[in-house]
Structure formats: C-alpha cells, structure tokens
Amino acid sequence: MQIQAANVLESDFSPFGRVYDMKSSQASADPATRTIHSEGPGWSDTYTANPLISSNGSLGFTLGSACPFSTAKMERHLLTEEALFCAADPIVLAVAAPTEEDYPSAENIRAFVIEPGTAVVLNKGTWHDACHGVDREARYYWMATCGLGASPWVEVKNGPVLVTAPEAANG
C-alpha cells in the first residue's frame, strides 16, 4: 500500500489532533487553536493563546530520514498529547486515528506535510510514526509528558505503508 502526504493546513486533521498556523497574523476562528500576533521594529511574534499541550511536557529533538519511507510500526500515547513542529525543514507525519485495538491498520493511515511555522498537537491515543524529511533527513521538535507508562511500537496491521511526499513539496 502507498499513500501521498497532504499539506496539513489544507487538510482535515481533526480526527488526529489540532493544527496551529504560527505564520499567520490572522487569528484562528477556532478558540482551541487561537494564536496571538504582535510585532515591532525588526520583529514579529506569534504564540498560542493556550498552553500547547494539556500537561507539563518534556521537549525532544529528533532526526528523521527522508521520504519516501515505510511505516511498519507506530506508537500512541494514551495519557498525553504530543506536539510536533519542524526545526528548519518541512517534515512528514504518518498518523492513524485512535482505536480500541492494540494496533493501527494500514487502511487508516494518513500522512501530512508540516511546514516550518506550523505545529500539530496529536490527540491522546493517536497512532503515529516518527516524522521524516520531505526530500532529505530533517530535524524536528516534539513535546509530550514523558514517564506516563510505556508506549510500545507495534506492527501496522496489513502494513507496511509506503509514504511519499508530493512533488511540489520536493521542489
């Protein structure tokens, strides 16, 4: 099975979590993703109106390989949200909505391109792979509450899923 990543700002990400457009000076219509923008001589700033995740979180920094990649295993966090955002280059995130099963299924996996200046927050229980660079390896940050119990990586049922990035994103 093969899927192509879609731009997270142009897609419905609601089954998996919420999206913050930190590049826009326009306020979000959704109070859950509202940002506040200010600027002055030589600078502009945008921040989330509410805390990014619902608990105290640790900050992580990960290096992911380039697209295309195979999603063969995924993890989920039942007791914490997880925020993901780029360091400098766009990243691709493969996800599947929360399920009652102890594994994600290949047919439920979707992939999204997250550009610099955009943050996503995964709902508790959302299945996800590590992020990967669009056209080269890429670093990204994550924020989640660590130490709330093991979140084992499990095989994707009927997987793996080959994830590709759109040609426009590849340059």
Side-chain angles (χ1 to χ4, degrees):
M1 181 175 179
Q2 180 174 327
I3 61 172
Q4 186 175 73
N7 184 305
V8 74
L9 288 175
E10 299 169 2
S11 306
D12 180 9
F13 193 74
S14 62
F16 316 106
R18 57 191 184 278
V19 179
Y20 293 88
D21 182 0
M22 306 298 289
K23 297 180 303 274
S24 176
S25 60
Q26 302 293 333
S28 169
D30 181 354
T33 58
R34 190 168 83 84
T35 57
I36 297 170
H37 184 78
S38 61
E39 55 188 73
W43 62 273
S44 67
D45 180 63
T46 303
Y47 63 93
T48 61
N50 299 307
L52 193 56
I53 62 174
S54 60
S55 58
N56 292 327
S58 295
L59 181 63
F61 189 53
T62 302
L63 176 64
S65 63
C67 282
F69 63 93
S70 289
T71 293
K73 291 185 174 187
M74 293 183 130
E75 68 167 345
R76 63 179 172 177
H77 309 284
L78 297 174
L79 301 176
T80 184
E81 295 174 313
E82 182 172 359
L84 301 158
F85 39 100
C86 312
D89 298 311
I91 55 175
V92 175
L93 168 65
V95 293
T99 61
E100 294 295 322
E101 289 85 21
D102 292 330
Y103 54 84
S105 294
E107 61 272 8
N108 296 328
I109 295 175
R110 301 293 175 265
F112 298 93
V113 176
I114 303 167
E115 297 283 343
T118 302
V120 301
V121 178
L122 301 175
N123 293 332
K124 292 177 184 177
T126 295
W127 293 102
H128 61 282
D129 195 353
C131 296
H132 297 265
V134 168
D135 57 1
R136 62 178 174 244
E137 63 182 25
R139 293 202 175 271
Y140 65 96
Y141 293 96
W142 57 266
M143 180 181 284
T145 303
C146 297
L148 294 179
S151 178
W153 288 80
V154 298
E155 298 285 334
V156 172
K157 182 180 178 185
N158 300 321
V161 174
L162 179 64
V163 179
T164 63
E167 289 300 318
N170 283 323

